[in-house]
Amino acid sequence: MLTSLLQSAKDASIDIALLDEATINGILLRIADSIHVHSQAIIEANSEDLAKMSPDNPLYDRLKLTDDRLAAIASDMRNVASLPSPLGRILKQSVLPNGLELTRISVPFGVIGVVYEARPNVTFDVFSLCLKAGSACVLKGGKDADATNQKVVGIIRQILTEMHINPDVITLLPATHEATAQLLHANGLVDLVIPRGSKRLIDFVRTEASVPVIETGAGVCHAYFDKDADLQKGTAIINNAKTRRVSVCNALDCMLLHEDRLSDLPAICRPLQDSNVLIYADAPSLAALQGSYPAELLRPSTDESYGTEFLSYTMAIKTVASANEAIRHIRHNGSGHSECIITDNEATASQFLRQVDAACVYHNAPTAFTDGAQFGLGAEIGISTQKLHARGPMALEEITTYKWIIKGNGQVRK
């Protein structure tokens, strides 16, 4: 049965090639409008999933859908519809001395599989981006969001059918381990697999798949508060990076503090108290915070405190003696996702931006901005932390590939 589903998705990917840009945009706009129409049904299905998960689970916030979040999802889908098509772009063009005309153009991957956990928003994002980029999508969601995913995909497929579009351009696989295994080995039927979720999920997909994989890694994000940082600006950045939304991959996990700024640490951390942020602090920062930060929210750090993606109202603090030490710490503990320096020293900032190896590196701005929509790309399919093909937010251009078109006039090769 799963093989037939994958074959149907492969066949549907050929049908997409016959759709013009106006038709694709019309589909996306129709589905965006339907999100409001069906919002109550989607939230009811989502409530069914939420009832099976503890609110203390870091995935709970990612799983939860609200009217506001559905409105934002619909807005992202409309944004994707408004963007130029990523297909058929001339990437390179030349004429060889023998007269052959070479053109490299952007084309769809074909079938893109996505393995993800309790993130029903991914269902909408992946579909809109894949359709706009000319690919069919095969979704393998987690059991935690299965009721929500089934409802969402059912609505999308119904609208596609009403618009006389092959509904197999979106396929939801059963929420089973067997379905994951078959997707990861669907050579010839699936062109690319993208995992979205925990480090454990990503490592499993990378290790097990025989289908090509683009890795969207875990986000262990740092902010280095330099000796030349502006206190007011830096305090706002730290608070926003940590507390805006703790369950997402761009949330702050560790602040690296220059030892010359230890006296400012109580002021830097004061806004974090309002969100009850638990801090694991090394010895110097622990001493600086004792008596000014709630004792029940302050604990000594261990080796495990660093290099951890908390996905909760928790962060670590480590004191460093220089920007070089901060960069070394990030090199050892970072995940290649998003890193930040807070400083008014341009030379230090330039060094940090050059030497830190991550998909997104910030100067005087929070890592919270690592997001396809924030980058003006519309929605995103994930944040790639690898270096082959795509890096950072993977939006429309990043989920296309290319081919060469060669035109001749009877030339033969000697």
Side-chain angles (χ1 to χ4, degrees):
M1 176 183 174
L2 291 182
T3 300
S4 65
L5 289 176
L6 296 172
Q7 183 63 60
S8 295
K10 183 73 172 179
D11 295 341
S13 71
I14 299 172
D15 294 339
I16 297 177
L18 302 176
L19 302 179
D20 58 33
E21 185 178 358
T23 300
I24 289 174
N25 291 341
I27 294 168
L28 294 177
L29 292 174
R30 171 84 178 271
I31 293 173
D33 291 340
S34 77
I35 293 175
H36 173 71
V37 174
H38 296 283
S39 62
Q40 189 58 41
I42 295 171
I43 289 175
E44 287 176 2
N46 186 241
S47 297
E48 182 181 333
D49 289 326
L50 289 170
K52 301 173 185 176
M53 181 182 289
S54 168
D56 296 330
N57 190 320
L59 294 177
Y60 189 89
D61 181 62
R62 292 186 178 188
L63 173 60
K64 186 176 183 179
L65 291 177
T66 64
D67 286 331
D68 287 344
R69 289 184 179 182
L70 287 174
I73 289 169
S75 177
D76 286 343
M77 190 169 284
R78 294 186 184 98
N79 285 339
V80 172
S82 71
L83 295 172
S85 173
L87 303 174
R89 293 178 298 119
I90 296 176
L91 307 175
K92 192 172 184 178
Q93 202 167 27
S94 63
V95 179
L96 299 181
N98 63 6
L100 287 177
E101 299 176 6
L102 273 62
T103 306
R104 190 169 75 185
I105 64 170
S106 58
V107 297
F109 267 103
V111 179
I112 297 177
V114 179
V115 183
Y116 57 113
E117 294 172 327
R119 310 178 187 200
N121 64 295
V122 172
T123 306
F124 290 104
D125 292 346
V126 168
F127 168 73
S128 60
L129 287 166
C130 285
L131 185 68
K132 183 81 175 188
S135 289
C137 61
V138 175
L139 307 176
K140 168 53 186 67
K143 62 181 180 180
D144 291 331
D146 194 41
T148 311
N149 288 336
Q150 287 192 47
K151 176 60 67 175
V152 169
V153 172
I155 292 169
I156 292 173
R157 288 175 65 92
Q158 178 185 340
I159 291 171
L160 290 170
T161 301
E162 292 172 358
M163 297 183 71
H164 307 291
I165 305 297
N166 188 338
D168 293 328
V169 299
I170 179 171
T171 299
L172 179 66
L173 298 182
T176 64
H177 294 301
E178 292 76 16
T180 302
Q182 190 152 349
L183 174 62
L184 298 185
H185 296 286
N187 300 75
L189 296 176
V190 175
D191 299 284
L192 173 70
V193 170
I194 301 171
R196 287 196 62 174
S198 65
K199 184 178 186 299
R200 180 180 177 184
L201 171 69
I202 294 162
D203 289 344
F204 173 79
V205 170
R206 183 182 61 245
T207 302
E208 294 296 322
S210 56
V211 172
V213 173
I214 291 183
E215 183 177 336
T216 59
V220 181
C221 301
H222 299 79
Y224 168 50
F225 200 104
D226 184 50
K227 66 177 180 178
D228 296 316
D230 179 271
L231 178 59
Q232 182 178 359
K233 189 162 45 182
T235 299
I237 289 171
I238 295 295
N239 185 53
N240 183 251
K242 177 66 257 181
T243 66
R244 187 197 69 87
R245 193 175 176 193
V246 297
S247 66
V248 291
C249 58
N250 58 28
L252 177 64
D253 295 296
C254 179
M255 177 171 67
L256 303 171
L257 180 73
H258 195 284
E259 60 187 9
D260 289 355
R261 303 303 295 270
L262 276 167
S263 61
D264 290 316
L265 189 56
I268 296 168
C269 293
R270 192 167 294 124
L272 301 176
Q273 299 179 36
D274 297 335
S275 300
N276 294 317
V277 174
L278 176 64
I279 293 176
Y280 288 95
D282 66 352
S285 56
L286 185 67
L289 286 172
Q290 284 175 334
S292 65
Y293 199 80
E296 66 275 15
L297 296 174
L298 192 58
R299 297 177 188 173
S301 64
T302 65
D303 289 343
E304 289 71 32
S305 304
Y306 305 110
T308 296
E309 185 181 24
F310 289 109
L311 301 174
S312 63
Y313 287 97
T314 306
M315 65 178 280
I317 299 178
K318 182 173 178 61
T319 310
V320 295
S322 64
N324 286 331
E325 186 178 346
I327 292 168
R328 285 196 299 271
H329 180 93
I330 292 170
R331 187 177 300 133
H332 180 71
N333 295 281
S335 63
H337 191 290
S338 299
E339 310 292 358
C340 160
I341 181 173
I342 305 164
T343 186
D344 286 344
N345 186 312
E346 291 296 330
T348 305
S350 178
Q351 176 194 0
F352 188 92
L353 297 175
R354 287 197 315 271
Q355 293 188 343
V356 168
D357 185 14
C360 301
V361 188
Y362 292 82
H363 176 205
N364 287 343
T367 55
F369 283 107
T370 300
D371 176 89
Q374 293 295 315
F375 279 20
L377 305 176
E380 71 184 31
I381 208 166
I383 307 294
S384 171
T385 55
Q386 65 181 38
K387 300 181 182 181
L388 291 177
H389 180 71
R391 198 178 192 195
M394 292 180 58
L396 289 173
E397 290 185 14
E398 289 73 27
I399 56 170
T400 60
T401 183
Y402 59 78
K403 67 181 178 184
W404 289 93
I405 303 295
I406 304 95
K407 294 183 178 180
N409 190 28
Q411 295 95 327
V412 295
R413 183 174 177 177
K414 293 181 182 180

